[in-house]
Amino acid sequence: MLQDKIKQYTEEIEQFNPQTSADVENFRLKFLVSKGIVKSLFEEFKAAPADEKRVLGKVLNDFKQLAEGKYQQAQEQFGSTGQVSQAKAEGDLTLPGDGFTLGARHPLSLVRKEIVEIFKKLGFIVAEGPEIEDDWHNFSALNFPPEHPARDMQDTFFIKKQDGNDIALRTHTSSVQVRLMEAGKPPFRAIMPGRVYRNEAISARAHCFFHQVEGLYVDENVSFADLKQTLYHFVQELYGEGTKVRFRPSYFPFTEPSAEMDISCTICKGAGCQLCKYSGWVEILGCGMVDPNVLENCGIDSTKYSGFAFGMGIERITNLKYEIRDLRLFSENDVRFLNQFQTEII
Ligand code: PHE
C-alpha cells in the first residue's frame, strides 16, 4: 500500500542523521534522483483509486517536501559533494596549507635602528619632533638669515602662512634641536631621527622626502675634539674598524665652525670606484659646533655652555652599506627589493 510505504519512508527520513557528506549524497541518490523513491511513489500514485487520490495526494506532497527539506538542511551542514568540502567537514590534515609570507624590516628602518643603537651606547637619548614646523623652529632659531635661499619656495614645501608666520614641512631634523633645547636645561645629549621634506624633482639621486638623524651634545666645555672622536667612533661601529674619516670645512647657519665629514669609500676601500667618483672618499654628514646665537635663541647661556651637532641622511648611509644606487627604490615598496633585507624576523 502506498500509504504504508510513505509512512515507513517518512520515519526513515525523520531519523536520518548524516555524519559525512557521503551520507548526504547517498540520501539524495536514494530519495531525490529521477529513479529515486520520491519519483517512484508519484508513479504509484497515478494508479491509486480516484476516491483516495485527494487525501493521498496531500500526504505524498508533504512527504516530498520533507525529503527535499531534509536534504537541503543536510547539505548546508556538510556542503555539496566533492573532496574539498568533505575535507572541510572532517578536517583533512593532509591537504596543503595556505602559504603566507613573512614581512621584513625596511632597509631604512634597519639602518636607523643601527645608528640609534650606536649612539644610545654613548648615552644619547632619542628625541622626536613634528614634521609640520613653523619658521622659528625650522629656520629662524637656527640662525638662518631672513633672505637665506633655503627658505626659498624651491627648497621648502610651505603649507600656509599664519599671522605672517610660515608653516612648512620641515626641511631638516635640526628643528628638533631647537625644540629639545627650548624645553629643558643643559646638558643635552640626544639623537633625533625623522622624515624631512624638500621641494626637489624626484630622480635616482634626489627625492622630495628622505630621512635624517640629527645629533646634539650640549654641556660645559664641549669641544670640536669631542665631536671628532664621537663621529670617529660612530663610523668604526657602523662601517667597521679601520674606516678612515676626514673633515672638510663647510658652512651651516647653525654651526660655527662647520664641517662635512667624509669616510674612506666603503666599496673600493679608498682605491677609487664609480661610487666615490674615483676620489676614495664619500661624504656622509654635516656637523659643527652649535652657533652661540642658536644657544641664546633657545634660552641657553652661550658663555657657559657649548655644544656640537651633526646631521646625516639615512638614505645615504644605507646606500653606502647596501650599494643601493636609486633613491626611488626606498619608497616604491617593490617586494623584490624589500625581500632582500630579510635579516630579522619581526
Ligand atoms: N641640518 C643639516 C642638513 O640638513 C645637517 C647638519 C646638522 C649640519 C647639524 C650640521 C649640524 O643638511
Side-chain angles (χ1 to χ4, degrees):
M1 276 289 287
L2 185 56
Q3 206 146 3
D4 295 338
K5 279 190 191 161
I6 294 175
K7 208 172 154 224
Q8 179 202 330
Y9 286 132
T10 299
E11 264 170 40
E12 185 181 332
I13 289 174
E14 276 168 352
Q15 278 162 21
F16 175 59
N17 181 19
Q19 300 301 316
T20 67
S21 60
D23 292 346
V24 181
E25 180 61 0
N26 287 336
F27 180 92
R28 186 180 74 88
L29 293 172
K30 181 168 181 183
F31 288 99
L32 298 172
V33 292
S34 55
K35 289 202 171 112
I37 285 164
V38 173
K39 270 270 159 60
S40 75
L41 292 182
F42 270 93
E43 286 302 319
E44 267 185 56
F45 170 76
K46 282 183 193 160
D51 56 340
E52 283 180 23
K53 267 195 172 154
R54 228 163 58 88
V55 183
L56 214 52
K58 189 178 177 320
V59 175
L60 192 55
N61 268 327
D62 288 349
F63 173 74
K64 185 180 172 219
Q65 271 176 21
L66 175 75
E68 284 173 352
K70 191 81 179 180
Y71 174 65
Q72 203 180 346
Q73 192 190 353
Q75 215 184 13
E76 274 161 22
Q77 197 180 344
F78 289 97
S80 51
T81 55
Q83 272 299 309
V84 177
S85 57
Q86 183 164 349
K88 226 188 246 168
E90 293 166 12
D92 184 348
L93 300 179
T94 66
L95 284 179
D98 294 332
F100 64 94
T101 30
L102 273 184
R105 275 192 205 278
H106 192 280
L108 292 177
S109 304
L110 285 173
V111 172
R112 183 193 55 210
K113 196 166 160 239
E114 227 180 304
I115 297 170
V116 167
E117 291 303 321
I118 295 170
F119 283 104
K120 264 190 181 168
K121 285 187 198 147
L122 296 177
F124 284 71
I125 60 153
V126 177
E128 284 179 338
E131 291 180 15
I132 299 173
E133 266 299 4
D134 50 30
D135 180 276
W136 172 254
H137 291 96
N138 199 75
F139 296 125
S140 296
L142 288 162
N143 207 29
F144 278 81
E147 301 308 324
H148 194 282
R151 295 173 182 238
D152 201 287
M153 289 296 279
Q154 278 165 9
D155 286 319
T156 309
F157 285 115
F158 288 100
I159 296 173
K160 61 178 175 188
K161 267 193 157 133
Q162 262 186 358
D163 319 328
N165 269 331
D166 285 322
I167 303 289
L169 294 178
R170 67 178 175 197
T171 58
H172 52 182
T173 42
S174 303
S175 54
V176 189
Q177 265 190 49
V178 179
R179 290 189 173 273
L180 191 77
M181 289 194 283
E182 279 177 340
K185 286 195 167 57
F188 298 103
R189 208 179 332 176
I191 48 162
M192 297 149 264
R195 181 175 283 184
V196 301
Y197 301 83
R198 288 189 196 170
N199 194 355
E200 291 194 27
I202 297 170
S203 70
R205 299 163 59 90
H207 211 296
C208 60
F209 68 82
F210 57 100
H211 300 79
Q212 288 190 331
V213 176
E214 178 103 1
L216 175 73
Y217 179 31
V218 177
D219 203 348
E220 290 175 35
N221 301 321
V222 176
S223 72
F224 204 92
D226 298 319
L227 165 64
K228 281 172 89 174
Q229 189 55 36
T230 305
L231 293 178
Y232 178 77
H233 171 79
F234 163 66
V235 166
Q236 304 308 302
E237 290 283 307
L238 190 71
Y239 291 110
E241 292 288 321
T243 310
K244 292 194 203 114
V245 300
R246 77 174 183 189
F247 290 81
R248 283 178 291 106
S250 185
Y251 172 78
F252 299 103
F254 37 92
T255 47
E256 182 61 34
S258 305
E260 264 157 26
M261 190 178 85
D262 298 341
I263 58 167
S264 49
C265 180
T266 50
I267 312 294
C268 64
K269 308 277 174 251
C273 69
Q274 226 183 349
L275 185 98
C276 61
K277 302 204 187 76
Y278 300 95
S279 69
W281 296 94
V282 279
E283 181 202 321
I284 65 159
L285 56 81
C287 58
M289 301 306 291
V290 181
D291 192 301
N293 286 344
V294 176
L295 295 175
E296 296 293 339
N297 284 341
C298 300
I300 291 163
D301 182 354
S302 64
T303 59
K304 189 170 176 207
Y305 293 103
S306 56
F308 66 72
F310 56 87
M312 64 190 106
I314 304 180
E315 277 80 352
R316 187 162 183 76
I317 307 278
T318 309
N319 289 351
L320 291 174
K321 223 175 149 59
Y322 295 114
E323 294 182 47
I324 296 162
R325 281 161 209 263
D326 191 329
L327 270 180
R328 291 169 292 197
L329 287 166
F330 288 124
S331 48
E332 277 168 355
N333 278 339
D334 186 332
V335 285
R336 290 168 301 180
F337 172 71
L338 297 174
N339 277 345
Q340 296 174 50
F341 302 92
Q342 299 263 11
T343 46
E344 61 181 300
I345 292 171
I346 304 169

